């Protein structure tokens, strides 16, 4: 009997199209799930007879309680080489090997600019008006050239975002708890003296920090209050870095010009959630990593990981 492999959150139903799974023929039967399992009970039921799971990013938690309910599970493949929602100790205790894949930082860089430009030029509002026979030109775009772009984080995503900002002729500043003057000089941006200074002086603020104890809730009500009423906030990093209630309040009360958000506390975002209808918000359903090249890498390397595991020599092991 072949082993059973479940691919989770294959919303676009492309997992078996964007990679060659034929090397596993006869040994592994692949089942793709195009809907999200909302709770552990539903997930455990769906995976009860599964030996291998391929999970996408950090959407599906794998705590100790879930591993205990999946006695057949032997291999868990996660896209990317970092996953904060897998209990690695529990995986080891239950005899489950965990492997990752490569992941490009280019797609989230590009989406950051898609959101920023969409906000600045009112793309969605103007397009919707045009397609519905609405008013011709009813927004006034915000300029980028000469304006200040403030980046929270100057790592593998923040740095190329900065380079694009400089190409637009923006004045780019950056801040993080570990950012040095040397690193800022390498990228060619200003080192902000403090988080408060960056927020208060920037026309556009974009978040590119890893989520951790020091960054969770970093932008709360007080920090968001520092933003100019004409400023825009973009978050393609992690939702928990920005206080979601405080952001909703700032948008609803018109205390900032707008926000572009790709990440949410709960994903998929529940129907009727306030983020779905908030004013001044350009929101996308966590598309930062969703590109053809990234998916080809994720699923192509998932196949490689499964083959290596079956051969007794797992690769790209996590953590």
């Amino acid at each position: 009997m072949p082993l059973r492999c479940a691919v989770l959150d294959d919303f676009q139903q492309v997992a078996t199209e964007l990679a060659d799974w034929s090397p596993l023929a006869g040994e592994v039967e692949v089942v793709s799930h195009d809907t999200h399992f909302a709770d552990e009970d539903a997930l455990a039921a769906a995976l009860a007879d599964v030996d291998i799971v391929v999970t996408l990013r950090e959407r599906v938690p794998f705590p100790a309680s879930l591993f205990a309910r999946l006695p057949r599970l032997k291999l868990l493949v996660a896209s990317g080489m970092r996953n904060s929602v897998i209990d690695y100790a529990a995986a080891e205790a239950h005899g489950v090997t965990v492997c990752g894949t490569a992941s490009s930082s280019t797609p989230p860089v590009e989406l950051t600019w898609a959101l920023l430009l969409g906000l600045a030029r009112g793309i969605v509002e103007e397009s919707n008006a045009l397609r519905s026979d609405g008013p011709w030109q009813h927004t006034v775009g915000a300029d980028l050239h000469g304006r200040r772009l403030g980046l929270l984080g100057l790592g593998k995503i923040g740095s190329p975002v900065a380079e694009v900002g400089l190409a637009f002729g923006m004045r780019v500043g950056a801040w993080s708890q570990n950012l040095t003057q040397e690193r800022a000089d390498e990228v060619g941006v200003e080192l902000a003296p403090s988080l408060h200074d960056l927020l208060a002086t920037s026309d556009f603020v974009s978040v590119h920090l890893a989520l951790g104890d020091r960054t969770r809730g970093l932008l709360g009500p007080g920090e968001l209050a520092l933003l100019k009423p004409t400023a825009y906030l973009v978050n393609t990093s992690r939702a928990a870095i920005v206080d979601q209630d405080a952001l909703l309040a700032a948008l609803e009360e018109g205390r900032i010009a707008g926000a572009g958000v790709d990440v949410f506390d709960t994903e998929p975002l529940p129907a009727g959630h306030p983020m779905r209808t908030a004013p001044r918000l350009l929101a996308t359903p966590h598309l930062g990593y969703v590109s053809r090249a990234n998916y080809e890498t994720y699923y192509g390397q998932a196949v490689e990981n499964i083959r290596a595991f079956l051969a007794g020599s797992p690769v790209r092991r996590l953590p």
Side-chain angles (χ1 to χ4, degrees):
M1 292 289 291
L3 300 177
R4 287 179 58 81
C5 172
V7 180
L8 301 180
D9 290 343
D10 184 17
F11 299 126
Q12 301 92 346
Q13 298 183 325
V14 295
T16 56
E17 297 176 12
L18 296 181
D20 180 10
W21 294 75
S22 63
L24 303 176
E27 293 186 88
V28 177
E29 176 188 351
V30 180
V31 178
S32 173
H33 296 277
D34 61 1
T35 57
H36 181 72
F37 296 104
D39 56 53
E40 186 176 303
D41 289 341
L43 186 60
L47 302 181
D49 62 348
V50 165
D51 307 279
I52 303 167
V53 170
V54 177
T55 183
L56 196 60
R57 303 304 294 155
E58 296 175 310
R59 182 170 294 114
V60 180
F62 276 81
S65 56
L66 180 58
F67 283 114
R69 300 172 70 174
L70 303 175
R72 282 189 52 169
L73 184 62
K74 297 302 178 187
L75 175 64
L76 175 60
V77 180
S79 58
M81 291 301 294
R82 180 173 59 188
N83 194 303
S84 64
V85 298
I86 297 173
D87 187 328
Y88 294 106
E92 183 177 5
H94 287 86
V96 179
T97 299
V98 184
C99 298
T101 73
S103 184
S104 172
S105 60
T106 299
V109 171
E110 295 172 352
L111 184 71
T112 295
W113 280 102
L115 290 172
L116 196 152
L117 289 166
L119 285 167
R121 300 305 297 267
I123 299 297
V124 174
E125 299 95 322
E126 294 289 3
S127 177
N128 287 343
L130 186 149
R131 292 169 63 86
S132 61
D133 293 328
W136 185 265
Q137 293 185 6
H138 66 290
T139 64
V140 178
D143 296 282
L144 302 188
H145 190 276
R147 299 304 190 268
R148 182 173 174 82
L149 171 63
L151 300 176
L152 298 183
L154 200 61
K156 65 179 182 179
I157 296 177
S159 292
V161 169
E163 292 169 1
V164 175
L166 293 170
F168 272 118
M170 302 183 79
R171 296 178 293 111
V172 182
W175 176 91
S176 76
Q177 290 154 326
N178 299 321
L179 184 59
T180 65
Q181 184 66 59
E182 180 182 16
R183 176 58 182 160
D185 291 343
E186 287 176 1
V187 183
V189 305
E190 304 168 19
L191 175 63
S194 66
L195 171 62
H196 285 201
D197 177 84
L198 185 81
L199 296 175
T201 61
S202 295
D203 300 293
F204 298 87
V205 174
S206 191
V207 181
H208 303 289
L209 297 169
L211 179 61
D213 292 340
R214 294 193 302 172
T215 59
R216 188 179 300 276
L218 182 68
L219 299 188
E223 288 75 23
L224 293 179
L226 294 170
L227 293 171
K228 302 175 183 179
T230 54
Y232 296 88
L233 175 68
V234 176
N235 186 9
T236 58
S237 183
R238 290 292 183 269
I241 296 172
V242 181
D243 184 308
Q244 300 297 283
D245 291 338
L247 176 58
L248 278 170
L251 292 169
E252 290 167 353
E253 296 168 13
R255 288 188 275 110
I256 60 174
V261 173
D262 186 49
V263 288
F264 306 91
D265 283 340
T266 302
E267 297 183 5
L269 201 61
H273 192 283
M275 278 287 188
R276 288 184 177 269
T277 55
R280 304 176 182 84
L281 178 67
L282 176 55
T284 49
H286 205 154
L287 298 178
Y289 61 88
V290 181
S291 75
R292 177 170 292 272
N294 242 4
Y295 271 27
E296 288 173 347
T297 297
Y298 291 166
Y299 295 122
Q301 292 192 2
V303 173
E304 294 174 3
N305 290 346
I306 295 170
R307 289 185 66 191
F309 173 79
L310 295 178
S313 301
V315 295
R316 307 185 189 95
R317 297 191 67 164
L318 298 178

